[in-house]
Amino acid sequence: MPNVVGGMAPDRNRRRIPDATVSRLPVYLRILSEQGDEGVDSISSERLAELAGVNAAKVRKDLSYLGSYGTRGVGYEVAYLVYQIRRELGLTHDWPVVIVGAGNLGQALAGYGGFSERGFPVGGIVDIDESKVGTVLGGVRVRHIDELPQIVQTKRVNIGVIATPGAAAQDAADRLVRAGVTSILNFAPTVLSVPRGIEVRKVDLAVELQILSYHEQRKAGATVHAVPGGGPRSATA
Amino acid sequence: MPNVVGGMAPDRNRRRIPDATVSRLPVYLRILSEQGDEGVDSISSERLAELAGVNAAKVRKDLSYLGSYGTRGVGYEVAYLVYQIRRELGLTHDWPVVIVGAGNLGQALAGYGGFSERGFPVGGIVDIDESKVGTVLGGVRVRHIDELPQIVQTKRVNIGVIATPGAAAQDAADRLVRAGVTSILNFAPTVLSVPRGIEVRKVDLAVELQILSYHEQRKAGATVHAVPGGGPRSATA
DNA sequence: CGGGCTTTGTGAACGTGTGCACGAATGCCT
DNA sequence: AGGCATTCGTGCACACGTTCACAAAGCCCG
Ligand SMILES: NC(=O)c1ccc[n+]([C@@H]2O[C@H](COP(=O)([O-])OP(=O)(O)OC[C@H]3O[C@@H](n4cnc5c(N)ncnc54)[C@H](O)[C@@H]3O)[C@@H](O)[C@H]2O)c1
Ligand SMILES: NC(=O)c1ccc[n+]([C@@H]2O[C@H](COP(=O)([O-])OP(=O)(O)OC[C@H]3O[C@@H](n4cnc5c(N)ncnc54)[C@H](O)[C@@H]3O)[C@@H](O)[C@H]2O)c1
């Protein structure tokens, strides 16, 4: 396997973890944390799989990417597993985020305690609308978007959240990248174009609903369902 | 807890569209709609791929599941493609949704126009907290959760949105299913257990942020290589 | 201390998704 | 009409993800 030659002295077992696994680790982590709080200190892959709604073999394979931290015949020590997953996900310290767009959604996000609770405190909120600047959301004052670079620098922000209308999302992304942010969570229904190396994840409510719609329509498919007003509609989907 | 597994009746399967494709069709649809509004009436797979941030061959393969609606040497007729995708996704008619939980997030969702604009009008909002009942959000009056069955029936709701705290999410899901809802969009950070045949999609903010955290932590491990300033843009999904 | 029971860790088979490469179809131009 | 430039549709190979199945590794108990 062609590996990157580490310039760093001691090799810290930096295997690459498959994307599918990375997206499940947070789920395991939450479940394990809950179990730990409830006094459970050992858990089998079967039980964890049940709680996570996945296959037990998948759980074991996922966890095996972290190393061999289970005990055969017994299971996994909850506290230790929590520690290992947190370490692997980079959750050993906080990651302040900056929210761009103090509208409907931005306000909900800012007011949501679960953010900082999980290690992602709101380091700042910015908006382009002067009338929004100065208002306080979730204990954080909204500042003008021109102050973005300062906020990113002083608060050492790596993660930006885009909560602007779709038309402004690319602009927001450009500003975030210029300010030094290297990961973006995008709530706007827009495909962003960013430089290589910038990680973008999209949360698109409409897409989710339309996927559900597809399945609903499919369930109804047994009975042929002609829709009133047939013919192509020019749509604003 | 039995989860949804493979192994369905093969005879009922008329042309099934791969999940990965289904999740991209809404993206194509939005882009095509925009292009249509801008007066574009024909588009190549290459152009659509560029706008969607994906590979052109993937676009063609995706669209081929709908049938052969392109013209070789020319491209796809935008209006017709919009019509076909809408039909396949079941967007030829509205799908009213019911929101459970009129808190921070529920209010943002209810006040968000993009919902009904895209064919998912808010058919109702319910909460268990009496003090929330009666308030009006986005033109819809919040009702008590006990009225859920009635709302689902009269408004013919198939899709439920869970915006309650995690601890109440399973209860909300149970009530939705009992009321007759067959698709659920879950914003609570909880794995839901539902009967077979009920479609569940999860939107978990914390998971998304933790995935970003993983990548940030990973970048920090390989310090030396700085990103070339003003480098080329690549549309990475 | 050894046999039996449980559960992990992983090789291998299988399934799904992606992207290349190219034949086939179509429009346009001479 | 025929040739040429495009662009679709898809077979194929490969990468990635999931699941099965089982040996290896540990604990318990007599
Ligand atoms: N509200 C929801 O429940 C919801 C749900 C799903 C998706 N979304 C998406 O989230 C985004 C925001 O939705 P919303 O309801 O909060 O919209 P909104 O209009 O209430 O808020 C948008 C905010 O962004 C600000 N803004 C505009 N251009 C900007 C720019 N260039 N830089 C910085 N700030 C800028 C505006 O001043 C405004 O305050 C939209 O893209 C929407 O599609 C919202
Ligand atoms: N606010 C956000 O920006 C945000 C972001 C991501 C995820 N979430 C998730 O969304 C969910 C809601 O968040 P929120 O900030 O709106 O919380 P919230 O506490 O503001 O609102 C929750 C609402 O649900 C109601 N409720 C409680 N139990 C109920 C039940 N059994 N049936 C019906 N209603 C019930 C409560 O009365 C309350 O009105 C949480 O699970 C949260 O983790 C919120």
Side-chain angles (χ1 to χ4, degrees):
Chain A
M1 174 202 264
N3 214 339
V4 181
V5 180
M8 311 182 3
D11 190 292
R12 278 193 59 207
N13 265 358
R14 288 224 173 255
R15 308 140 288 229
R16 201 191 130 260
I17 296 182
D19 288 347
T21 295
V22 171
S23 69
R24 281 189 295 267
L25 288 179
V27 178
Y28 301 152
L29 178 57
R30 185 185 304 262
I31 291 168
L32 290 166
S33 299
E34 283 168 9
Q35 292 294 304
D37 289 348
E38 288 172 19
V40 177
D41 43 39
S42 177
I43 192 169
S44 69
S45 61
E46 191 113 16
R47 175 75 179 131
L48 179 50
E50 184 190 334
L51 294 171
V54 301
N55 182 292
K58 196 185 284 182
V59 168
R60 291 199 295 276
K61 187 149 284 188
D62 284 342
L63 296 181
S64 77
Y65 292 113
L66 308 180
S68 292
Y69 297 134
T71 306
R72 293 169 186 220
V74 178
Y76 300 85
E77 195 200 329
V78 172
Y80 190 52
L81 209 45
V82 165
Y83 169 72
Q84 289 298 344
I85 295 179
R86 288 178 58 85
R87 191 177 59 80
E88 195 66 42
L89 291 179
L91 301 176
T92 47
H93 62 82
D94 280 2
W95 295 96
V97 303
V98 61
I99 298 172
V100 182
N104 225 333
L105 182 62
Q107 289 174 33
L109 293 173
Y112 176 52
F115 244 165
S116 32
E117 204 176 286
R118 310 219 153 253
F120 300 92
V122 177
I125 313 173
V126 299
D127 202 297
I128 206 169
D129 183 353
E130 298 283 1
S131 74
K132 295 264 169 68
V133 175
T135 58
V136 175
L137 303 174
V140 182
R141 193 174 59 87
V142 177
R143 294 164 71 180
H144 191 269
I145 192 164
D146 287 342
E147 297 185 55
L148 194 55
Q150 280 97 49
I151 296 170
V152 170
Q153 293 268 301
T154 59
K155 296 285 178 83
R156 294 206 158 59
V157 172
N158 289 301
I159 301 176
V161 176
I162 297 180
T164 68
Q170 184 61 56
D171 177 54
D174 292 344
R175 287 170 182 267
L176 282 168
V177 171
R178 247 182 284 130
V181 160
T182 49
S183 285
I184 294 175
L185 182 54
N186 180 26
F187 283 93
T190 313
V191 178
L192 297 180
S193 166
V194 296
R196 248 186 302 283
I198 307 293
E199 206 74 26
V200 177
R201 294 195 65 85
K202 195 181 73 170
V203 174
D204 192 330
L205 192 43
V207 169
E208 298 301 322
L209 288 173
Q210 288 176 12
I211 293 171
L212 289 178
S213 160
Y214 169 77
H215 291 291
E216 282 299 322
Q217 180 251 12
R218 187 144 253 277
K219 286 173 194 164
T223 51
V224 178
H225 214 26
V227 178
R233 285 195 218 166
S234 79
T236 335
Chain B
M1 276 278 128
N3 224 330
V4 182
V5 259
M8 67 207 84
D11 53 278
R12 272 272 214 96
N13 264 4
R14 29 154 229 208
R15 58 193 225 282
R16 217 202 107 215
I17 296 182
D19 288 347
T21 294
V22 171
S23 70
R24 282 188 295 267
L25 288 178
V27 178
Y28 301 152
L29 177 58
R30 185 185 305 263
I31 291 168
L32 290 165
S33 300
E34 282 169 9
Q35 292 294 304
D37 289 348
E38 287 172 21
V40 177
D41 43 40
S42 176
I43 193 169
S44 69
S45 62
E46 191 113 17
R47 175 73 179 135
L48 179 50
E50 184 191 334
L51 294 172
V54 300
N55 181 291
K58 196 186 283 182
V59 168
R60 291 198 296 276
K61 189 154 287 187
D62 284 342
L63 296 181
S64 77
Y65 291 113
L66 307 180
S68 293
Y69 297 133
T71 305
R72 293 171 186 214
V74 177
Y76 300 85
E77 195 200 331
V78 172
Y80 191 51
L81 209 45
V82 165
Y83 169 71
Q84 289 298 343
I85 295 178
R86 288 178 58 85
R87 191 176 58 80
E88 196 66 42
L89 291 179
L91 301 176
T92 47
H93 64 84
D94 279 3
W95 295 95
V97 303
V98 61
I99 299 172
V100 182
N104 226 333
L105 182 61
Q107 289 173 31
L109 294 173
Y112 176 51
F115 243 167
S116 34
E117 204 176 287
R118 305 205 164 266
F120 300 92
V122 178
I125 314 173
V126 300
D127 202 296
I128 206 168
D129 183 353
E130 297 284 1
S131 74
K132 294 265 169 68
V133 175
T135 58
V136 175
L137 303 173
V140 182
R141 193 174 59 86
V142 177
R143 295 164 70 179
H144 192 270
I145 192 164
D146 288 341
E147 296 185 56
L148 194 54
Q150 204 181 349
I151 296 169
V152 170
Q153 293 270 300
T154 59
K155 295 285 178 81
R156 293 206 158 58
V157 172
N158 290 301
I159 301 175
V161 176
I162 296 180
T164 68
Q170 184 61 57
D171 176 55
D174 293 342
R175 287 171 183 266
L176 282 168
V177 170
R178 248 181 285 129
V181 160
T182 49
S183 286
I184 294 176
L185 181 54
N186 180 27
F187 284 94
T190 313
V191 179
L192 296 180
S193 168
V194 296
R196 248 186 304 283
I198 307 293
E199 206 74 27
V200 176
R201 294 195 65 85
K202 196 181 71 170
V203 174
D204 191 331
L205 193 43
V207 168
E208 298 301 323
L209 288 173
Q210 288 176 13
I211 292 171
L212 290 177
S213 161
Y214 169 78
H215 291 291
E216 282 300 321
Q217 180 251 12
R218 189 143 250 280
K219 284 174 195 164
T223 40
V224 195
H225 296 67
V227 181
R233 285 182 162 188
S234 65
T236 19

